[in-house]
Amino acid sequence: MAAKYADIIIDISHESVDRPFQYIIPQELSDSVYPGVRVHVPFGNGNRDKIGYVIDLSDEANYPVEKLKTIASVDDKGITAEGSQIQIAYWLKRQYGSTMIAALKTVLSVKQKLKQLEKKKVTRCIPPEELLQAAQLCRKKHQTAKARTLYALAEEEVLPYELLRQKLNVASQTLQALEKQGFLKIETESLYRNPVKHMDGTENRVTLSDTQRTIIEDVLNDYRSGEPGTYLLHGVTGSGKTEVYLGVIEQMIAMGRQAIVLIPEIALTYQTLLRFYKRFGDRVSVINSSLSKGEKYDQIRRAKDGGIDVIIGPRSALFTPFPRLGVIIVDEEHESSYKSESMPKYHARETAIQIASMHHASVILGSATPSLEAYYRAKKGEYKLYEMTGRHGSSTLPDVYTIDLREELKQGNRSVFSRKLRELIAQRLEAGEQTILFLNRRGYAGFISCRACGHVMKCPHCDVSLSEHRGGMLICHYCGYEEARPDRCPECASKYLLGFKAGTEQIEEALHKEFPAARVLRMDADTTRTKDSYEKILSAFADEKADILVGTQMIVKGHDFPNVTLVGILAADLSLNQNDYRAGERTFQLVTQAAGRAGRGGKPGEVVIQTYQPEHYSIIHAAKQDYQGFYEEEITYRDFMRYPPVAHMLAVLITSRDKQSGEELGRMMTELVNKEQSENEEAYCEVQVIGPTEAAISKINDMYRHVFYIKHADYQMLVEIKDILESFCKERELKNLIVQYDFDPINTY
Ligand code: ADP
Ligand code: ZN
Ligand code: ZN
């Protein structure tokens, strides 16, 4: 049944979305009013005719019906750029669960209209000789300001307005008078703030390989024949994927189309930008959170006005309003930063595919270790799969040693470095080659506990252990709570209160102890707080100002370091200990990508994988860089357990101020699903409800967390269940309770 009421915003800007007005949809317009459509409505006291955008539909009135006005007509100019942004927001809201306002704020990234920068210029309208004559005439009449202006314009065809006003001291009325007399014209140029500074260097154009050429042709042929598709490029770093992106985009631009290039992290912007800039020059721009508001606003304007062809940025760059979008590239598509952590918890991969389908654009996904999702879809034929094997140039895959840490301990080695790793580091220092040491920090707490009674030091506000930092402080990584490290156990007063495992700081210390001469750089969340610290550390290492780089996940991607011939992965299985169905996938990706950093410059590389679980399939396949082998084992497990991508899973997280009300709401919501199921057996068969239960982290910032999961093979079925749960919660007007939905979650709660 068609909806009866529409929410409409009159002025579509970020801050006005909080103030939608509800209107009645007249019968005759019921088919043509939907989110994104522009309508004429009577507005305000005088019922002036205004244009507004429909943002949402409903069957219930929020106010007494007699007070509502009625939509006058539908604007017939078709869907505008704003309209299609609203359509995307509406899709996000439905598909991922959130309010329409939150969805609109995600899509309309610029908060307010900012002042446009302008520049005025003055151009002569008659030939210089005539200007000179006119100038002499003016001088005779003692119109000296006019004379100055005309002399100046006789020499220069165009002059900045400000120069005439200030340097030549000409009044604006004088300039206007001269314009009226037909000597010159005054024009206003609007300027864009451009975050991309001019870059030097010309591109070294390569001759594409047959594989690269075939892929580019395929993508463009599908596009030209009106059937743009989704493509997955599976190839190790260095296999030439970026050359494919550049090739496709180049031809898209030739057809007057635009491109969005998503990269997983701001840290990778510079090097990607440099490559695109060398090919496309000023037609490329970036957008990300490090830009000022004005810069962001101007990039959106440039995109809308056709001033740029390519935008590079993290997942939010998806919402750049290009009028003729041709292709969206999602590089490193397996990265977890493509999933939004706030509502709507959208995934950039799926959203890219949706946006592309609205614009009849192509989507290219690229990865050395594709997500199970992407590979599974590719194998099912939903995406076209291209395998790009091998690297360009002389680089070869490194030799890999897997070291069993249990064995090291048995042999009496208590250091964080295995004997093999220590030996190889020493060799590298000798040879003047570089080493990268990678610490898998996910799931790692750096917690301290009492060896006498087992008491673990925890944050009083969050259900997590505190991490020890240098200087004797204990810090909560969730809420920032800090306390001084006690000398004795608060429970039993034993003095054996000790730290467990090692963090990057401790590894740096251990290196100083064991290799006093080595120059060490550290890269982790603590050393990269400021805007360009990533770039500084990485370029210092690239310039060989250090022998060893120690770091967390952030060092495994980006930047080529030709002099790195050794990579040590200190505790490969830390991420396996998470109680999470993606733990194996994450471990495989991290170890494979870290190992791939060795021997990129022609010199052979070696990799040491230290682990407590050398027999785990994700470690075994990563050591062999064998994606296929890993995929087969992992997908079997997912299939058996009905986990994504084989089935779909909706996580519902309830956050509450008091524990009981959260628990209770969870129970009511799961009962509701069960009730639907028993009344509607056919549709709901195989809907599986798990929970409710306390979340693994049961408290953050003094807010209690409960969670339940719903699994089903069909995503849309879960969307419908979410709709039921959403309206149930809306009716109950929850107080001090927050309900969040997360489809196919990246982390379990
Ligand atoms: P990826 O994006 O898969 O990491 P790139 O496209 O960045 O791979 O390519 C890695 C390196 O190999 C780059 O320096 C690139 O210029 C070079 N390269 C890529 N394709 C070719 C080719 N067909 N011929 C020669 N060099 C190439
Ligand atoms: Zn104790
Ligand atoms: Zn805390």
Side-chain angles (χ1 to χ4, degrees), residues 231-242 244-245 262 264 329-336 338 349 364-375 383-390 557 585 588-590 592-593 627:
Y231 310 85
L232 173 60
L233 307 193
H234 174 210
V236 296
T237 315
S239 60
K241 298 185 295 296
T242 307
V244 173
Y245 308 153
L262 298 189
I329 312 277
V330 185
D331 194 25
E332 312 275 0
E333 69 68 38
H334 63 276
E335 282 291 333
S336 58
Y338 283 130
R349 188 194 317 114
I364 304 179
L365 312 171
S367 175
T369 51
S371 62
L372 266 269
E373 269 78 3
Y375 209 73
Y383 309 162
K384 274 196 198 171
L385 177 64
Y386 296 104
E387 304 276 357
M388 299 178 72
T389 42
K557 15 186 190 232
E585 179 178 8
F588 176 81
Q589 284 165 355
L590 283 170
T592 310
Q593 303 234 343
Y627 181 82

Side-chain angles (χ1 to χ4, degrees), residues 450 452-455 489 491-494:
C450 172
C453 77
H455 174 77
C489 170
E491 286 295 311
C492 74
S494 146

Side-chain angles (χ1 to χ4, degrees), residues 206-209 212 235-243 245 275 392:
V206 300
T207 310
L208 295 175
S209 68
Q212 287 168 324
V236 296
T237 315
S239 60
K241 298 185 295 296
T242 307
E243 287 297 330
Y245 308 153
R275 266 192 76 192
H392 279 280

